[in-house]
Each structure stands twice: as C-alpha cells, then as structure tokens.
Amino acid sequence: MLSSPLLGDMPAKMADGSDIPCDFEAMRRMARRRLPRFAFDFIDGGALSESALSRNAAALDAVRLLPRVLTGATARDQRTELLGQQFAAPFGIAPIGMANLVRPGTDLALAHAAARAEIGYTLSTAGTTALEPIAEAAPRSWFQLYVGRDPAITDDLRRRADIAGYPVLIVTADVPAPGKRLRDLRNRFTLPLKPGLGMALDLMRHPGWALAIATGGAPRFANLEAYSPPGSSTQSLAELMAGQSSARLDWDLLAKIRERWPRKLVLKGVLRPDDARRAIAIGVDAIGISNHGGRQLDASVAPIEMIAPIRDAIGGNVPLIVDGGVRNGEDIARCLALGADFVLLGRPFLYSVAAMGGARGPAALIDMLRDELDRAMAQLGCARIADIDATLLYERPGAAPDSCGGPLK
C-alpha cells in the first residue's frame, strides 16, 4: 500500500496489474503506453525542435529555494483566493484543446474532478465539450476565448459564456498563427483521422483506445458546431477551428472585449512586462504568463523566467497566473516564490486520464500535487500559501548574490 498524509492509503496496483503511478513521469510513461503514438505526440509535443518545451522545465529546475527552519509550521493551509473565488489549492487545470482525444468524456471528467477538489478549471474554445454543459456541471469553471478571424463567432462565444454565467473569461493572446508541430506532421495527424498503414498498426496495438473512440465518438470542436451548417463534417469543423488562430486580436479589440465582458477578465500568453502594464491599463483583472506550453514559438523565453520581471513591473496588486512545464508540487512552490499567485497545469492532467481513466486519474493527480506541495511547505517552513515568497529564493533573478533569502537585516 502507498500512504501519505493527503493521499491516504492507495492500492499498489491498477486493475490490470500495473503499478499505480506515483509521480508525473510515471503518469506520462503510462499515458505513452496506453495511447496511440499520434494521440500521445499531439498532447506531449511542442513547436519545431521542442527547445521551448525543454526550456520550460529546465527553467523551473534552475530555481532553488532556501528553507526556513524552526517556524512551527505543523499545520499547513493551501487555501487561495483569486479573482473573487476561493480555491482549496493555488493551482488549477489549464485550458486544453482536443482533450477528448485522450478518451471520450475527458473535458467533463476534468471539470468534475476540479469541482470536487475545489480547484480551478478552464474550458478551452478548442474543447471537445460545449461550454454550456461544462458550466452546468461545474459552475465555478472559467472559459478561455480564442479571438478568431470571424468577429461574429468571437462575439457569440463571449455572449454564450456570459449567458452561461462563467465568472472569468481568459483571452488567449499567443496564437496569431498555428505553431509548427513536427510530431503532428510526421504522424500525418489530421481531423478527421485518416489512417495509413502505420496508424492502422498503431491502432491495432491500442485496441482499448480505438474501442473507446468508436463507441464514445471521435473528438469534435463542440464549441464551434453552432457556427457550421447542419451535418458539417469533422474536417470542416477542424478548418473552422484553424481560423481561431488569428492575428486579429490587438489592443483596441482587447479593450472592446473588456467593455463587453461584465466579470473578471484575464489576458493569457503574456511574456513581456510592458505588455502586462498595457493590459492592466486597459482593465484586465489578471495576467496569464504563458508560452502556450512551448507549442507556438520554439525560441520563446520560459514563462518561469518572466514571473519576477513582470511582478516587478506591475506591482503586487494584480494577480499573476502562470503555466508552462509545471510537473509537481515543488514546481508550484517555485512559481509562487517568484511572485505568481496561481499555477495552471495542462499536459499532466491529460496524462492522468490516459494512465488511470477519467474517474480516477485527475483526482489522483490533484491529491498528488497537493501532497507534494504540502511536503514542500513543511520543508520550507511555510504554514500558508502567502508565506511562500521571494525570501525563500536562493538567488533572486537580477539581484546581487548577497541578497539570497531576501534583504539583509
């Protein structure tokens, strides 16, 4: 049996006899075994040579923390307030496109798991479940908006999110054009799926996945079905979704969205301090620091590298939400110490569903992350999330070496 203060006792084996994954890499390995190659590569891959993907994780690994001792942090509280909502932990599920490629029902499984655990969940425009049933199933969820080429579609998606009562709208800014993802090109991955000999053999090696898709339905861009003629094919929906990668979003249009959206607004995909300041001047309520998981610009700086510069530029009153390369609870602590208020994870949650199923995987990952964060807080001497701050950084970005652990007294 496996045991931890938050996870409790867990069986040592899955139903099929495989070991219970107990960390990010174990879940990823299991997901790789259980998914066809084209599906795993779509989830796992990045742009071009995937150096941005590697850089995201390497930048996190480079952040070293300096623990406090004798603080008496015997009881630790992860509760976090963000944009008027209370969360049980300072992390949530990032907007994920094509989630049901892992297995039918993944979007709803993630939304339900987040609601039960009282963590954040964001549905993507590119989600494979429509925004209305997600809002009904998990009313605290957020919605992420792609500003595409067609203004009428963008306006109607915003209107639908408003009517459905989403408390937060995230506008994604870092998709002016689709990223070039070589794994998808090599696998000839398209929608609808067009199996060649290699893909057919791959599907034969993964009969469980093939059966689930055959019985549960192939993934579709459900949020866009309302804008296609009745009976439109998956291919036409995919073409419509491709149009949501557009450079049409500019500062004037963001200001109009701000005027029309009645609740909290987040701009996601920001990496420059000057862009963050300008967004705040328009009235954005929070900044999302992200390079789209390394899936867009391979030469991009890692989001973790920009948390401290953006925090210094905008001050402490505007929340910072960060994603990119986060794998465990210590990574979450690193982000918070650098100045982030909230952390989003995407790929790990898809791995969890592929590895353990929609009913068990996301809940197990949430428990795992909370347990790892709790252990990190204990080691760092932090009783509350607010205690995880820049004084824990061994080397503050841009600071002199003698400033380790905060200002000298």
Side-chain angles (χ1 to χ4, degrees):
M1 303 288 283
L2 300 177
S3 179
S4 78
L6 288 180
L7 289 172
D9 292 330
M10 294 178 60
K13 297 286 184 180
M14 299 277 287
D16 63 1
S18 57
D19 292 335
I20 290 282
C22 59
D23 64 0
F24 166 83
E25 285 298 339
M27 280 194 173
R28 181 177 178 271
R29 287 193 299 271
M30 187 174 288
R32 187 168 197 161
R33 290 197 303 270
R34 296 189 171 183
L35 291 174
R37 178 175 177 176
F38 66 86
F40 178 81
D41 281 353
F42 174 78
I43 294 164
D44 192 66
L48 292 178
S49 66
E50 302 188 349
S51 60
L53 193 62
S54 301
R55 194 178 304 117
N56 285 355
L60 281 159
D61 288 338
V63 177
R64 291 176 290 172
L65 300 177
L66 196 61
R68 300 187 189 95
V69 297
L70 308 182
T71 64
T74 55
R76 295 166 295 280
D77 185 356
Q78 296 184 17
R79 286 178 297 179
T80 302
E81 182 177 355
L82 180 70
L83 298 177
Q85 290 181 265
Q86 294 287 335
F87 296 101
F91 65 85
I93 303 174
I96 301 170
M98 290 290 292
N100 286 7
L101 183 65
V102 174
R103 66 172 57 202
T106 295
D107 287 314
L108 276 169
L110 294 176
H112 282 303
R116 286 191 293 268
E118 298 182 6
I119 69 164
Y121 170 77
T122 304
L123 176 70
S124 171
T125 293
T128 34
T129 304
L131 63 91
E132 288 84 0
I134 292 290
E136 184 176 349
R140 286 161 46 91
S141 300
W142 299 359
F143 182 66
Q144 175 266 337
L145 178 69
Y146 283 126
V147 176
R149 296 171 193 157
D150 188 335
I153 293 177
T154 300
D155 288 344
D156 197 59
L157 284 167
R158 175 192 50 78
R159 179 193 64 82
R160 287 168 58 192
D162 185 8
I163 292 172
Y166 280 87
V168 176
L169 182 69
I170 296 181
V171 175
T172 292
D174 57 3
V175 286
K180 185 175 183 180
R181 297 163 195 166
L182 297 182
R183 290 203 224 180
D184 293 345
L185 294 173
R186 294 187 189 111
N187 293 330
R188 299 182 181 180
F189 175 67
T190 61
L191 287 178
L193 298 176
K194 298 178 180 178
L197 177 60
M199 185 179 291
L201 292 172
D202 198 8
L203 292 176
M204 291 175 62
R205 289 192 292 266
H206 299 89
W209 182 91
L211 179 62
I213 294 296
T215 56
R220 297 172 62 87
F221 293 108
N223 285 309
L224 301 180
E225 288 180 328
Y227 314 114
S228 291
S232 294
S233 67
T234 301
Q235 182 173 357
S236 63
L237 281 169
E239 291 168 351
L240 186 59
M241 185 63 226
Q244 303 309 300
S245 294
S246 168
R248 191 172 70 88
L249 180 61
D250 59 20
W251 293 107
D252 290 339
L253 183 51
L254 179 65
K256 291 177 182 177
I257 294 172
R258 171 67 286 179
E259 291 172 4
R260 295 169 184 172
W261 179 254
R263 291 178 286 279
K264 301 295 186 181
L265 184 70
V266 179
L267 183 64
K268 184 176 183 290
V270 177
L271 290 170
R272 295 175 60 98
D274 54 345
D275 284 344
R277 286 194 298 265
R278 190 167 182 178
I280 292 166
I282 285 176
V284 164
D285 297 293
I287 298 296
I289 304 175
S290 174
N291 66 2
H292 217 85
R295 294 169 68 84
Q296 287 295 106
L297 179 67
D298 196 31
S300 170
V301 65
I304 192 77
E305 297 175 293
M306 298 311 300
I307 297 174
I310 290 176
R311 173 56 72 204
D312 288 343
I314 68 172
N317 294 327
V318 177
L320 291 182
I321 303 168
V322 67
D323 69 81
V326 177
R327 300 147 298 178
N328 53 53
E330 287 198 12
D331 284 347
I332 294 169
R334 288 171 161 129
C335 293
L336 299 177
L338 285 165
D341 298 280
F342 207 76
V343 178
L344 298 179
L345 300 90
R347 289 182 180 91
F349 279 97
L350 295 184
Y351 300 147
S352 76
V353 174
M356 302 179 68
R360 297 182 62 195
L365 178 58
I366 292 167
D367 285 346
M368 187 185 301
L369 292 168
R370 292 200 63 199
D371 176 66
E372 291 166 350
L373 179 58
D374 179 73
R375 293 171 189 261
M377 291 175 69
Q379 299 289 346
L380 293 168
C382 298
R384 303 169 303 137
I385 292 300
D387 296 336
I388 307 176
D389 59 21
T391 63
L392 296 172
L393 295 173
Y394 174 67
E395 190 173 29
R396 291 189 63 186
D402 64 355
S403 65
C404 299
L408 297 176
K409 299 292 184 180

